[in-house]
Amino acid sequence: MSAGPASPPEFDPARLDAFLRSALPGRAAGRLVLERISGGQSNPTFFASYPDAGTRLVLRKKPPGPLLPSAHAVEREYRILKALAGSAVPVPPVLLLHEQDDVVGTPFYLMERLDGRVFHDTALPGIAPEERRAMYFSMAETLAALHGFDWQGAGLSDFGKPGNYYARQLARWGRQWRETKTQDIPAIDRAIDWLGAHLDETPETTIVHGDFRLGNLMFAPDGPRVVAVLDWELSTLGHPLSDVAFSCLPWHSSPEMYAGIVGLDREALGIPAQAEYLERYCAAAGRTQGPGRFHLAFSLFRFAVILDGIAARAKTGNAAAENAVAVGAMAESFALRAQTVIEGAA
């Protein structure tokens, strides 16, 4: 993670300071230092540190302003992070959840700040080719560990609805598209129709991250190992291949399309082919088959809707990233890529 340019938070730091001194006695001593973390498009995130006490925290909150009823669910993030603590899925330790608006204007939670590297460019600039390859394979193995997590034993049976995952997801994202779209994109409408006619209705259920991609992983400071999976706001019970297909988007987008790898010399970079990445996931997960055309097309369609939703939030002034309008403009590119996959040309 890296801190963005200094910009004032949308809340009173003194109120947060007073809360932390009461909630974390002994750890909140001396001067509070707040830094906004750049790169996020959704829940505003801050480093909250007390250098004198050696305390290094991360605060994650909902955006200000009107929100969709189920959006930006920091409460769910806190719950899944707490459930995964100590499992084979690496996550930051969480400290507390505050569900009222009285401290920072919205609910928020606190977690420990970890040391590591986060890469939003999937080409992994500055990394040696052999390490790039190992990082992609670590991503595949971490995802397999998540899908092998015993969610029932962890008390997460009510974290989502088992079964009919893709039908429900298609209805949800189709509804969001109709209600919040900022532009007409016929490729999205065509994708909705095709996906509805080709639903994967297999009854598999696991915890799904919902936004599992390289940019939401933290790697060790000195090696290719994933040390934390971040940004859990879309997590639920669902079909594991939805996560797998979404993690494959770099192989279906260019550097201009949200930092993909299409058009790069992937062999020279050390980046495995999509088939190799999927083989590593399937081997670690004990599966015989990875995602197919439906799963990839759905992930591209859903990401197109998400990107347009960022543009919609920018219009109401409550998107977390300053480049929200530019990111939203990429929605059509991903919708067209979904159409290419549907047509069997990718």
Side-chain angles (χ1 to χ4, degrees):
M1 286 184 178
S2 60
S7 60
E10 62 271 19
F11 54 85
D12 181 3
R15 189 180 295 272
L16 173 64
D17 185 32
F19 172 84
L20 294 178
R21 290 176 188 276
S22 173
L24 302 174
R27 299 201 64 190
R31 181 174 61 96
L32 170 63
V33 178
L34 276 178
E35 302 173 80
R36 187 187 298 268
I37 300 173
S38 65
Q41 290 285 358
S42 186
N43 291 328
T45 308
F46 300 83
F47 290 145
S49 306
Y50 288 91
D52 294 342
T55 299
R56 303 165 70 243
L57 309 173
V58 177
L59 182 150
R60 194 155 157 87
K61 67 184 290 293
K62 295 188 180 188
L67 303 173
L68 293 171
S70 62
H72 311 285
V74 295
E75 302 89 346
R76 288 177 62 81
E77 287 191 37
Y78 176 83
R79 183 182 178 193
I80 187 65
L81 287 169
K82 191 172 183 180
L84 288 168
S87 74
V89 184
V91 293
V94 289
L95 296 175
L96 63 85
L97 169 69
H98 189 72
E99 299 185 75
Q100 285 73 49
D101 299 341
D102 57 321
V103 177
V104 299
T106 72
F108 71 94
Y109 70 92
L110 285 172
M111 54 188 163
E112 301 282 1
R113 178 176 171 182
L114 301 178
D115 290 322
R117 301 172 293 165
V118 176
F119 299 88
H120 295 288
D121 185 341
T122 57
L124 300 172
I127 303 299
E130 60 273 15
E131 186 175 5
R132 281 196 189 94
R133 184 173 179 83
M135 291 169 80
Y136 269 88
F137 287 153
S138 182
M139 176 169 69
E141 290 163 356
T142 300
L143 185 54
L146 172 62
H147 294 159
F149 178 70
D150 180 7
W151 51 273
Q152 292 169 311
L156 293 173
S157 295
D158 62 344
F159 198 64
K161 297 178 181 178
N164 299 318
Y165 174 75
Y166 274 112
R168 289 183 286 105
Q169 283 285 296
L170 184 60
R172 172 188 175 181
W173 293 104
R175 181 171 60 252
Q176 178 163 327
W177 168 243
R178 291 188 297 271
E179 293 177 355
T180 68
K181 66 179 179 179
T182 66
Q183 57 190 311
D184 288 324
I185 303 179
I188 289 183
D189 298 316
R190 289 194 291 270
I192 290 172
D193 292 339
W194 186 88
L195 291 165
H198 296 81
L199 282 175
D200 179 345
E201 298 182 285
T202 54
E204 291 186 72
T205 299
T206 66
I207 294 291
V208 294
H209 181 276
D211 192 14
F212 194 91
R213 54 189 171 86
L214 193 142
N216 278 336
L217 303 179
M218 177 178 284
F219 291 88
D222 54 357
R225 178 175 53 91
V226 175
V227 295
V229 183
L230 310 171
D231 294 7
W232 290 82
E233 70 169 284
L234 295 177
S235 59
T236 187
L237 298 181
H239 198 294
L241 291 183
S242 63
D243 271 345
V244 185
F246 190 74
S247 73
C248 288
L249 291 198
W251 288 277
H252 296 269
S253 56
S254 66
E256 297 74 31
M257 290 171 60
Y258 220 80
I261 55 177
V262 170
L264 302 181
D265 188 344
R266 285 167 277 174
E267 185 173 352
L269 289 170
I271 297 174
Q274 177 180 286
E276 293 179 286
Y277 170 78
L278 292 175
E279 285 172 8
R280 180 62 65 98
Y281 166 81
C282 288
R287 297 186 63 94
T288 58
Q289 192 169 3
R293 188 162 52 133
F294 168 84
H295 309 96
L296 292 169
F298 177 86
S299 288
L300 288 158
F301 147 76
R302 192 192 69 147
F303 198 48
V305 176
I306 288 173
L307 290 170
D308 190 72
I310 292 167
R313 291 202 306 277
K315 288 189 174 183
T316 62
N318 66 341
E322 295 177 359
N323 64 339
V325 174
V327 173
M330 286 189 279
E332 185 171 18
S333 296
F334 278 91
L336 291 172
R337 188 67 186 179
Q339 183 173 311
T340 300
V341 170
I342 287 169
E343 293 170 352

